[in-house]
Amino acid sequence: MRKEKVISSYASWSDYELSTLAGRILKAMKEPATSANFPNPIPDMAALEPMVLDYITKHEIASGRGSALEISQKNESRELLLNSLKSLAHYVNLVADGQLSLLLSTGMVLATQPTALQVPGVIEKIQLRDGPIGGQLRLDFEKFWEYDRLLKMDASRLYDTFRSD
């Protein structure tokens, strides 16, 4: 199992999700226990708080049918906030060094651990029929959990596979 860490990029998150997360991170990082564990965050909370509040304010203005100018200002504020959160995430990952309790205390989102590959399921109700063109076969099935390469197998390869028996 690899070391626990927090996500460093929230670029794919919606504006609503990002504004909620930024407020949660700001509140969590200001807690006395968290600030004791992370004494010198990058950026510091005095610099992060105005960025978070500026983004939340601009997001609220732009989300209610904002003008092109207001949306542009919100997007600029978003980019600044995303860069700051990325720096903070790198600092948190460095200081916490995989300790789950420290990572969770920051309010940031944990990166998912890789999972084991699942065994493909069983193919059910296999039927081999004549294809639409002479010399071709059609393979029908009800349930098929297999790798993508088998799904893309063309009819001629299927025909050759069954014909060789």
Side-chain angles (χ1 to χ4, degrees):
M1 189 165 110
R2 58 178 201 169
K3 216 186 309 185
E4 294 282 355
K5 61 183 181 177
V6 295
I7 296 174
S8 60
S9 176
Y10 300 98
S12 63
W13 286 41
S14 72
D15 290 331
Y16 293 101
E17 293 169 330
L18 183 62
S19 64
T20 302
L21 177 72
R24 184 176 75 198
I25 291 171
L26 182 63
K27 182 180 178 195
M29 290 299 288
K30 285 181 155 184
E31 293 290 325
T34 307
S35 59
N37 291 324
F38 300 98
N40 302 312
I42 301 168
D44 61 349
M45 292 304 107
L48 184 63
E49 185 172 10
M51 284 185 251
V52 170
L53 297 177
D54 180 56
Y55 175 72
I56 290 172
T57 304
K58 289 180 178 175
H59 166 62
E60 289 172 354
I61 292 169
S63 65
R65 291 187 168 251
S67 67
L69 174 64
E70 292 167 339
I71 292 171
S72 174
Q73 290 172 338
K74 185 243 338 163
N75 290 339
E76 290 169 359
S77 180
R78 177 185 170 93
E79 288 303 316
L80 183 63
L81 179 62
L82 287 172
N83 289 333
S84 298
L85 289 178
K86 183 180 278 191
S87 298
L88 183 62
H90 289 302
Y91 170 77
V92 165
N93 285 329
L94 181 71
V95 172
D97 194 35
Q99 189 175 349
L100 188 59
S101 60
L102 291 179
L103 294 171
L104 291 172
S105 71
T106 63
M108 297 183 131
V109 178
L110 291 176
T112 57
Q113 290 287 336
T115 58
L117 293 176
Q118 295 182 0
V119 177
V122 177
I123 303 170
E124 297 177 355
K125 296 186 180 178
I126 299 174
Q127 295 178 345
L128 195 58
R129 300 179 184 185
D130 287 333
I133 301 174
Q136 286 188 345
L137 293 174
R138 177 177 152 181
L139 180 66
D140 293 330
F141 47 85
E142 185 173 295
K143 181 178 177 186
F144 190 67
W145 286 72
E146 190 56 67
Y147 299 107
D148 192 41
R149 64 183 167 79
L150 291 178
L151 291 174
K152 294 179 181 174
M153 188 181 288
D154 63 352
S156 64
R157 286 182 53 200
L158 284 173
Y159 177 73
D160 291 341
T161 302
F162 288 110
R163 190 177 51 157
S164 65
D165 289 339

